[in-house]
Amino acid sequence: MLNVMRDHQAARAELRGDCERCFGLCCVALPFARSADFAVDKDAGTPCRNLQDDHRCGIHARLRQKGFTGCTVYDCFGAGQQVSQITFGGRDWRPGPAEHARRMFDVFPVVRQLHELLWYLTEALALPVARPVHAELREALEKTEGLTAGTAEELAGLDVAAHRQEINVLLLRTSELARAGTKGGKKKNRRGADLMGARLKGADLGGADLRGACLIAADLTGADLRGADLIGADLRDADLTDADLTGAFFLTQPQLNAARGSAGTLLPESVTRPGHWTAQV
């Protein structure tokens, strides 16, 4: 059991962005628009004005203060270092021809989606209650890992949506197995629900299906979210102060980073407490 836990921990570590091994791909390949999340407009393939020659962010420690909150809630799930060091063999996009840079920027979002799926599959395999589908999950994990090892041409032509749908079937079965063991879990179906700004203080959402639910700015203070399925839930500006998310699954670090919380918020061990959360209990 200890070896299995170490394997999951090692896998999780590899599925987190490592900017030291990346050529600043998220700061160049992806577009963003002036909004509450970004201070300026930027087109895809255009370097962010804050990106330095060494691929570091010039305002990394002050992103929120400078109006770039969107950057603080983003994680490539390790796709940046995969594309930079593996797919393109450590060849930087800057000194090379424009075609090389364009291909790199096209491939990055594809690999990012694949790595996100790897994260979900790794989380599913860490759930003992999902043992009936572990064999299929491992097969899907190996297939997805194989896809990430493809050439730039293979990755650019990949039908990610179709592959995601195949994986989603397994993740749904995993969710059903996990929530079946929680009190009232099967009855709490909030999948895709519009709960923007909802007053859910102290709500009993233990074992709830919150897949794809819109929880933007929802008040979840002190809510019970133990064993809830949070895949794809929009937690931007949701208040998780003193909420209990113990055992909640398919919760990603970007989702958590987009929310608000406190030292009293209980979290699953697969994520870390965001640095911008208040330290007061």
Side-chain angles (χ1 to χ4, degrees), residues 102-280:
R102 186 192 64 76
R103 287 170 59 213
M104 206 173 213
F105 303 153
D106 287 345
V107 165
F108 173 66
V110 174
V111 177
R112 198 268 183 187
Q113 290 188 67
L114 292 175
H115 273 231
E116 183 179 11
L117 291 176
L118 288 175
W119 171 271
Y120 290 137
L121 289 166
T122 299
E123 291 302 288
L125 283 165
L127 296 171
V129 293
R131 189 166 288 108
V133 291
H134 273 188
E136 293 173 85
L137 287 167
R138 278 192 290 269
E139 183 179 343
L141 182 72
E142 291 173 2
K143 179 179 179 181
T144 306
E145 287 178 334
L147 292 175
T148 66
T151 65
E153 291 74 18
E154 290 170 339
L155 286 163
L158 182 65
D159 187 347
V160 185
H163 183 64
R164 181 180 287 274
Q165 185 55 42
E166 290 179 21
I167 301 299
N168 190 50
V169 172
L170 282 174
L171 298 182
L172 279 168
R173 289 171 60 189
T174 299
S175 177
E176 291 167 358
L177 288 166
R179 291 184 298 103
T182 61
K183 184 179 178 180
K186 286 187 174 181
K187 298 178 181 178
K188 299 172 185 174
N189 186 353
R190 304 289 190 275
R191 186 184 303 179
D194 184 359
L195 298 171
M196 180 183 288
R199 298 176 181 177
L200 296 168
K201 184 175 182 179
D204 179 7
L205 294 168
D209 182 355
L210 289 164
R211 295 170 64 91
C214 176
L215 289 159
I216 297 175
D219 182 5
L220 290 161
T221 304
D224 181 1
L225 289 156
R226 289 176 294 174
D229 181 350
L230 291 166
I231 193 169
D234 194 336
L235 296 173
R236 283 177 292 169
D237 208 32
D239 191 349
L240 296 173
T241 299
D242 297 335
D244 189 349
L245 288 88
T246 306
F249 54 97
F250 297 149
L251 173 66
T252 66
Q253 195 65 47
Q255 284 175 292
L256 204 60
N257 291 347
R260 293 179 288 128
S262 68
T265 306
L266 301 179
L267 302 173
E269 57 90 23
S270 58
V271 292
T272 58
R273 194 175 309 278
H276 65 276
W277 283 14
T278 175
Q280 297 179 352

